[in-house]
Amino acid sequence: MRTPRFDGEAISNAAKLRKSALLSADIPTAARWGAIGPLLAGGTSLSPRLHRRLFTEIAEAHGDPATFPDDARRLIAMTAGERAKAALSAGLAYHLAAFCPAVDRPTLANLRAVYGEEAVAFALGHINLSAATPPLDLLSQEASRIVEADGWSMLALLADEYRISPAWRSAGWRDMAENGSASLLKSPALALAAAAVDEVASIQEGAGR
């Protein structure tokens, strides 16, 4: 019996990654399909044939995500919800040290109520990577919007670092980053974004997605 010349699991994983990449792609601008482009944004209603055609067009111009390095593949394989979790965790961690280096129990409870258990746990665990930023009142509604926007900006910086084309990033990435801080310190921003992506992706992988 001839030994198969392909790795079925690797092929399956590549197919899943390519589907995830297309769902997060900036389809209206990445694919030159005229007026139909905006109608395909999100890609959830694509037929398999149209899915392949659209993916091929973007991949030929901007690279096949299945061939990207491991870290880049992990970021691009995340769902929108997973990226949102990573952005919130990274943004909170970035600002936490300036807000309150030593968090007492009442403050910790309030932070959990605003940002959630997972984001607060991540921020506390990575407070050594936090930046010396102007302090925000993290418990205010305005600050929570800035924290989230900064987190999305940090993910965008990470995608740039991984050389992931903007074509593979939906307009939602840019929209979510609006109204963030005027500037971010690149080194801690990248470190925290990478750690947050790893944390969220590891949890999802452990849960079998």
Side-chain angles (χ1 to χ4, degrees):
M1 182 176 179
R2 182 177 298 175
T3 302
R5 298 180 61 185
F6 58 85
D7 184 334
E9 183 177 358
I11 291 174
S12 176
N13 289 339
K16 291 177 182 177
L17 175 59
R18 288 168 176 143
K19 183 175 182 179
S20 295
L22 186 56
L23 291 176
S24 70
D26 187 2
I27 293 176
T29 57
R32 299 182 179 88
W33 285 24
I36 195 175
L39 301 178
L40 300 175
T44 53
S45 61
L46 296 179
S47 68
R49 182 183 178 192
L50 197 57
H51 181 286
R52 286 192 296 273
R53 286 183 57 197
L54 186 56
F55 176 87
T56 298
E57 178 174 334
I58 300 174
E60 286 178 349
H62 303 283
D64 180 353
T67 67
F68 291 175
D70 289 346
D71 290 338
R73 288 204 307 269
R74 175 169 268 194
L75 175 59
I76 208 167
M78 299 178 85
T79 66
E82 290 165 4
R83 273 191 293 271
K85 287 182 179 181
L88 185 63
S89 294
L92 180 59
Y94 186 87
H95 288 285
L96 184 62
F99 167 70
C100 187
V103 184
D104 58 30
R105 287 187 178 182
T107 302
L108 185 59
N110 289 333
L111 286 170
R112 286 170 174 161
V114 175
Y115 297 100
E117 181 75 36
E118 291 181 4
V120 172
F122 175 86
L124 290 173
H126 294 80
I127 198 168
N128 60 307
L129 298 177
S130 297
T133 60
L136 286 173
D137 178 4
L138 292 179
L139 298 176
S140 71
Q141 186 174 4
E142 178 61 24
S144 65
R145 288 195 291 267
I146 293 173
V147 163
E148 187 173 13
D150 282 349
W152 281 98
S153 295
M154 292 160 72
L155 292 186
L157 283 173
L158 188 64
D160 289 341
E161 187 76 3
Y162 293 158
R163 298 183 180 180
I164 297 174
S165 167
W168 291 120
R169 305 178 228 169
S170 70
W173 283 45
R174 296 189 296 273
D175 294 342
M176 294 301 295
E178 291 182 358
N179 302 317
S181 300
S183 63
L184 293 170
L185 298 176
K186 187 174 182 180
S187 181
L190 287 174
L192 286 168
V197 168
D198 285 346
E199 177 92 358
V200 173
S202 296
I203 291 172
Q204 296 303 321
E205 289 167 1
R209 286 194 183 270

